[in-house]
Amino acid sequence: MRTSMLFFTLLWIVLLSFSLSCGDGEDDDDDSGDTPSDDDPDDDINDDLNDDVDDDLDDDVDDDADDDLDDDVDDDADDDLNDDVDDDVDDDDTSGDTWTDSTSGLIWQNGDACNMNWGEAKSHCENLIWSDVSDWRLPTLSELRSLIRGCGHTVTGGDCGVTDECLAYMSCWNPPCQGCGFLSGPGLGGRYCPAELSGTGWIYWSSSQVEENPSTAWRIHFNDSLISYNDIDYSYCARCVH
């Protein structure tokens, strides 16, 4: 009997101890009802991501503004450049030089214009204002021929038979009209023209048409002093006279 009571007493002590130890293990600081801390790691990550997005957006806006400014500057520069080019190629240039040929008394445009067919060349000279002069015209063949220097075959009075008085190809053109050697004249770059004349062209229209065929006109090649003709639709240069 005493043994049984002792056994039950020890068992009760063990159970009591076990019960107390389980109670001590419960977490009195249950966080289930707490509000998450402002320093939550997830919030920090979200804040960083939002900051990065905002920074990228700001950068894009700044870049767009810079690009727009650069475009405006480039457009202004292009406009200025185009204005300068337009000024340089103005057909109504009133400050251009003239040159007077003492042998013929003709006053010539000391310059030229190119890439024009025969009709455009005539219109160009008729509408030209150059050195404050407006009564310009495309020269006749004999007038244009008076500019030839350094080739005895085609200078005024030379053996070439084509003149203002003889414009028919079949009866007027002859071998001397073929001119002289290539770029061996006294003019700019070896052209067969006066050294005082400036210009970029090589082949120039005259106002004289071929007698047999009015859809063709006479021209002079100042690179070799050749006198020939071509269809009026082809493009050459014009040096105006008055």
Side-chain angles (χ1 to χ4, degrees):
M1 182 68 176
R2 293 173 60 89
T3 301
S4 298
M5 291 182 62
L6 180 60
F7 172 77
F8 285 114
T9 300
L10 292 174
L11 180 60
W12 181 82
I13 293 173
V14 170
L15 292 175
L16 180 62
S17 299
F18 178 77
S19 176
L20 291 175
S21 63
C22 289
D24 290 340
E26 294 179 356
D27 187 2
D28 292 336
D29 297 328
D30 185 1
D31 293 334
S32 61
D34 292 344
T35 300
S37 170
D38 290 337
D39 295 330
D40 192 310
D42 289 340
D43 290 341
D44 292 340
I45 293 175
N46 290 333
D47 289 341
D48 291 338
L49 291 175
N50 290 334
D51 290 340
D52 290 340
V53 171
D54 290 340
D55 290 341
D56 291 340
L57 182 60
D58 290 340
D59 290 341
D60 289 341
V61 172
D62 291 340
D63 289 341
D64 289 341
D66 291 340
D67 290 341
D68 291 340
L69 180 60
D70 291 340
D71 289 341
D72 291 340
V73 172
D74 291 340
D75 289 341
D76 290 342
D78 290 341
D79 289 342
D80 291 341
L81 180 60
N82 289 332
D83 289 342
D84 292 340
V85 172
D86 291 340
D87 290 342
D88 291 340
V89 300
D90 188 359
D91 281 346
D92 295 332
D93 184 0
T94 61
S95 62
D97 293 333
T98 61
W99 178 77
T100 301
D101 187 349
S102 60
T103 63
S104 66
L106 294 172
I107 300 174
W108 292 90
Q109 174 192 14
N110 199 3
D112 56 17
C114 295
N115 298 318
M116 294 181 291
N117 63 37
W118 182 74
E120 292 169 340
K122 288 189 65 178
S123 178
H124 164 76
C125 288
E126 291 168 358
N127 293 287
L128 179 67
I129 299 175
W130 183 275
S131 191
D132 296 322
V133 176
S134 60
D135 61 336
W136 297 94
R137 55 185 172 79
L138 193 65
T140 67
L141 178 68
S142 289
E143 288 173 333
L144 188 60
R145 187 172 168 177
S146 73
L147 288 179
I148 295 176
R149 302 287 190 276
C151 182
H153 298 308
T154 52
V155 296
T156 299
D159 294 333
C160 176
V162 183
T163 66
D164 286 355
E165 290 74 33
C166 189
L167 297 173
Y169 174 76
M170 295 300 295
S171 58
C172 302
W173 193 92
N174 56 3
C177 296
Q178 292 177 344
C180 296
F182 188 71
L183 294 180
S184 298
L188 180 67
R191 292 170 173 83
Y192 286 89
C193 67
E196 297 88 350
L197 284 182
S198 62
T200 60
W202 300 100
I203 305 174
Y204 291 81
W205 281 119
S206 79
S207 63
S208 304
Q209 294 167 278
V210 179
E211 187 175 297
E212 302 98 319
N213 186 355
S215 66
T216 61
W218 292 100
R219 59 186 182 165
I220 294 181
H221 302 232
F222 280 90
N223 56 336
D224 57 5
S225 193
L226 166 68
I227 296 176
S228 67
Y229 70 91
N230 208 343
D231 293 340
I232 59 176
D233 292 332
Y234 279 79
S235 294
Y236 299 112
C237 300
R239 187 187 297 276
C240 307
V241 68
H242 83 95

